[in-house]
Amino acid sequence: MSDCAPIITVTELGYTAPGGQDLLRDASFTLERGAILAVAGPNGAGKTTLLNLMTGLLPLTAGHITIAGDDLRTLDPASRARIMAVVGQQSVPDTRLTLRDYVALGQLPVWHSKSATHHSADLDEVLETTGLTALAYKTMGQLSGGETQRAHIARALAQKPQILFLDEPTNHLDPDAKGRVLSLIAAQNITVVMVIHDLVMIPEFASHVALLKRGRLTAFGPVAQVQTTRSIQETFGVEYRVFHHQERAIPALDIRKTPFIKQGAS
């Protein structure tokens, strides 16, 4: 396959849950190598469903996905592990493991490809890249939330993937830790697909955005073209503004007090 070919092609993708509910319908887009895609939308919009379909964690009930030139359905688990790595929301490592041993688990799918010496050198490089070298022999139970999230990302990077998938990588992190984690992700020079709720951080760290609402892909494209005041208002019901300060554009959300309306009220 040519390096110019899209690394991900999603065509008329849909998913119907076993109970018959359509969680995703008719999603189509392509993503070039090296792009960073932010997937955003209200709760229940289908973001995690889309991510799980793209990683093979859910079976396709409609449409097609091509990953690095191959139909996703034809890729066995070993082949998928050589192409993609996934950081989910529910990663709960054994707190007794050292950080270094936890990150090394990411090398298991590709262990046969190199000698133990090369893997050890690669592991040192990943720890250095993610700023975790000094914490290598701390146990996972001793790490802060931001450090733990970086450890999850380091384990994924230890696979040497072409594509990194992340489900809400900044969830439960303080603002400084969010910036550090997203900076780390953006610096990897690989294709990234991440579900994210932090709308104001998307322009700083993503190249593309996909907006979902009620199981439908309502917009996809470069962030500057797609993440607009109108699209955010239509998708989330909040005001999205961009302020220009010196050489930077600073996005912000204008969220006003809106009381819940009691059921049955006129």
Side-chain angles (χ1 to χ4, degrees), residues 117-197:
T117 300
H118 279 96
H119 278 303
S120 181
D122 286 347
L123 185 57
D124 289 338
E125 181 181 354
V126 168
L127 293 174
E128 180 68 26
T129 298
T130 53
L132 295 171
T133 301
L135 306 176
Y137 294 100
K138 280 194 171 185
T139 65
M140 294 299 294
Q142 294 175 305
L143 303 182
S144 69
E147 291 165 349
T148 299
Q149 189 66 337
R150 278 190 285 148
H152 294 329
I153 295 169
R155 187 182 69 164
L157 294 177
Q159 287 180 229
K160 301 288 186 180
Q162 297 180 47
I163 311 169
L164 178 61
F165 291 94
L166 307 107
D167 194 357
E168 297 190 31
T170 61
N171 203 19
H172 305 306
L173 298 183
D174 63 49
D176 181 62
K178 287 180 180 182
R180 291 176 182 273
V181 165
L182 290 176
S183 295
L184 169 62
I185 293 167
Q188 297 313 304
N189 198 31
I190 59 175
T191 307
V192 176
V193 178
M194 61 178 172
V195 171
I196 186 168
H197 278 293

Side-chain angles (χ1 to χ4, degrees), residues 200 227-229 232 238-244 249-256:
V200 297
Q227 189 161 313
T228 63
T229 298
I232 297 302
V238 298
E239 294 290 334
Y240 175 76
R241 303 175 185 274
V242 179
F243 300 94
H244 295 278
I250 302 174
L253 294 176
D254 185 4
I255 302 174
R256 304 177 184 182

